[in-house]
Amino acid sequence: MSTFVKQSDVEQEQFDWGSIGWRCRPANTGARSIVVMDVTLEPGEGHAFHRHDGQEEMIIVKRGSITQYLEQDSTTLVSGDSVYIDAGVVHASFNDGNETAQLQVVIGPSLGEGGYDLVDVASDEPWSSLR
């Protein structure tokens, strides 16, 4: 269903590393092809190594900076930079800066009511040795 999504409509979910604002997913828009999230990473925190099987992802840095991993390669992304991630690729985002990083994340296709599926590999090698 086509719908307007106002900031007050964006459901916030808190994590130990930051928060997700659910802008577009099946539960609030009925979207089947995309999931859109407003993500914050607090200084010194990060979204540890994981992958999304069957889903592609785009992360856009809107404010601040992050250290972004694609498998074992990493780079610093600043406001205006982005990264595209193929389905099944292990990745992680860490805020090594002093200010809250704000990201816009798009994942597709949408899966289930929550919109996305995540496989946590942070405790597996070689990922657990990278941070």
Side-chain angles (χ1 to χ4, degrees), residues 105-122:
V105 178
V106 180
I107 296 178
S110 180
L111 297 176
E113 275 301 301
Y116 84 118
D117 191 31
L118 175 142
V119 178
D120 185 347
V121 297

Side-chain angles (χ1 to χ4, degrees):
M1 76 186 130
S2 297
T3 186
F4 294 105
V5 180
K6 303 274 187 142
Q7 183 63 38
S8 60
D9 299 327
V10 178
E11 177 188 345
Q12 297 293 319
E13 188 171 357
Q14 297 295 319
F15 298 90
D16 57 355
W17 45 263
S19 65
I20 292 177
W22 295 101
R23 190 162 288 281
C24 178
R25 65 177 174 165
N28 69 329
T29 65
R32 293 177 292 177
S33 297
I34 61 169
V35 174
V36 180
M37 297 174 272
D38 298 331
V39 175
T40 62
L41 293 177
E42 298 301 330
E45 300 295 335
H47 193 187
F49 292 92
H50 63 282
R51 68 178 192 266
H52 306 281
D53 294 338
Q55 293 181 295
E56 300 171 313
E57 180 172 7
M58 172 66 82
I59 300 172
I60 305 158
V61 180
K62 304 301 277 180
R63 182 174 149 229
S65 65
I66 60 171
T67 300
Q68 180 65 50
Y69 281 84
L70 285 176
E71 299 284 340
Q72 297 181 49
D73 293 329
S74 68
T75 194
T76 299
L77 298 178
V78 299
S79 182
D81 292 342
S82 58
V83 59
Y84 165 76
I85 306 162
D86 280 320
V89 170
V90 173
H91 58 285
S93 308
F94 296 99
N95 182 350
D96 295 324
N98 295 323
E99 68 174 303
T100 300
Q102 294 179 341
L103 315 173
Q104 185 102 86
V105 178
V106 180
I107 296 178
S110 180
L111 297 176
E113 275 301 301
Y116 84 118
D117 191 31
L118 175 142
V119 178
D120 185 347
V121 297
S123 60
D124 301 341
E125 287 299 332
W127 321 116
S128 62
S129 297
L130 289 178
R131 289 293 293 187

